[in-house]
Amino acid sequence: MIKVAIVTLSDKGSRGERIDITGEKLKEMFAEHKSYEIIYYNMLPDTFDVICEELKMLADNYIADLIVTNGGTGFSKRDVTPEATLAVIEREAQGVAEYMRTKSFEITPKAMLSRARCGIRKGSLIVNLPGSPKGATENLGFIIDSLVHGIEILKGEAVECATPMKK
């Protein structure tokens, strides 16, 4: 099982002024997938240091194999999730973010406004999703199946990644 942490970034939500619809939709998607188990959920303000500490805590303590953030990936001055992610990751997983944007372009030209980043810290993959329920679920839907293999590799559980040669 892939252990999943969902972290919603929202100033209003963290103050109890907004219901986290996006986080709930993401929980539903992971619950429907047999490879994933949600083991952690939190809602935090859009604050760089707070986001960095949360991501480091989850990865460094091996709490989650997959850390999914939602929110804070746009153009607002308070949108700092990509910067916090880049500050804590050890290796970037550019293809994941590129693929989400590419597939999103098929739905809306506004996909170019996403600043989402993805990367690896310790044994965890961190994936930034949009804050809107529609954008977050669409983007997760594009990658949810393929991430299983990537995380198996990260965890050392995938022993053969290449196609064997024919004799």
Side-chain angles (χ1 to χ4, degrees):
M1 276 299 229
I2 295 170
K3 298 180 294 184
V4 178
I6 298 172
V7 181
T8 297
L9 292 314
S10 169
D11 287 332
K12 288 182 180 178
S14 68
R15 293 190 304 258
E17 298 171 7
R18 174 182 291 162
I19 296 169
D20 183 16
I21 297 169
T22 303
E24 292 303 316
K25 295 283 186 190
L26 295 174
K27 287 178 190 177
E28 290 171 15
M29 285 185 73
F30 282 117
E32 292 172 3
H33 203 288
K34 64 180 170 122
S35 298
Y36 295 96
E37 176 187 12
I38 301 162
I39 51 89
Y40 184 88
Y41 167 82
N42 200 4
M43 185 182 301
L44 301 171
D46 292 300
T47 305
F48 180 84
D49 292 337
V50 172
I51 299 167
C52 287
E53 288 307 310
E54 182 83 350
L55 296 177
K56 287 192 283 189
M57 181 274 297
L58 290 166
D60 294 358
N61 294 308
Y62 299 94
I63 293 171
D65 305 311
L66 175 61
I67 303 165
V68 176
T69 68
N70 66 91
T73 61
F75 283 18
S76 164
K77 289 181 182 180
R78 297 285 296 159
D79 289 339
V80 296
T81 305
E83 289 74 21
T85 300
L86 284 174
V88 303
I89 61 174
E90 299 160 344
R91 297 182 289 156
E92 205 166 352
Q94 296 169 327
V96 178
E98 290 168 5
Y99 186 71
M100 288 190 298
R101 274 188 281 277
T102 298
K103 293 299 287 180
S104 292
F105 278 126
E106 296 173 9
I107 298 167
T108 177
K110 291 180 184 174
M112 75 173 108
L113 303 177
S114 170
R115 299 182 317 105
R117 297 296 194 140
C118 303
I120 297 164
R121 181 180 177 97
K122 308 280 188 215
S124 300
L125 175 63
I126 301 169
V127 174
N128 297 161
L129 296 173
S132 76
K134 182 179 184 297
T137 55
E138 285 173 352
N139 278 267
L140 181 58
F142 300 144
I143 63 172
I144 195 167
D145 292 326
S146 295
L147 289 185
V148 173
H149 183 63
I151 293 169
E152 287 172 347
I153 294 169
L154 184 60
K155 292 169 65 174
E157 295 174 358
V159 293
E160 185 63 54
C161 298
T163 305
M165 292 178 55
K166 293 181 182 179
K167 294 183 180 187

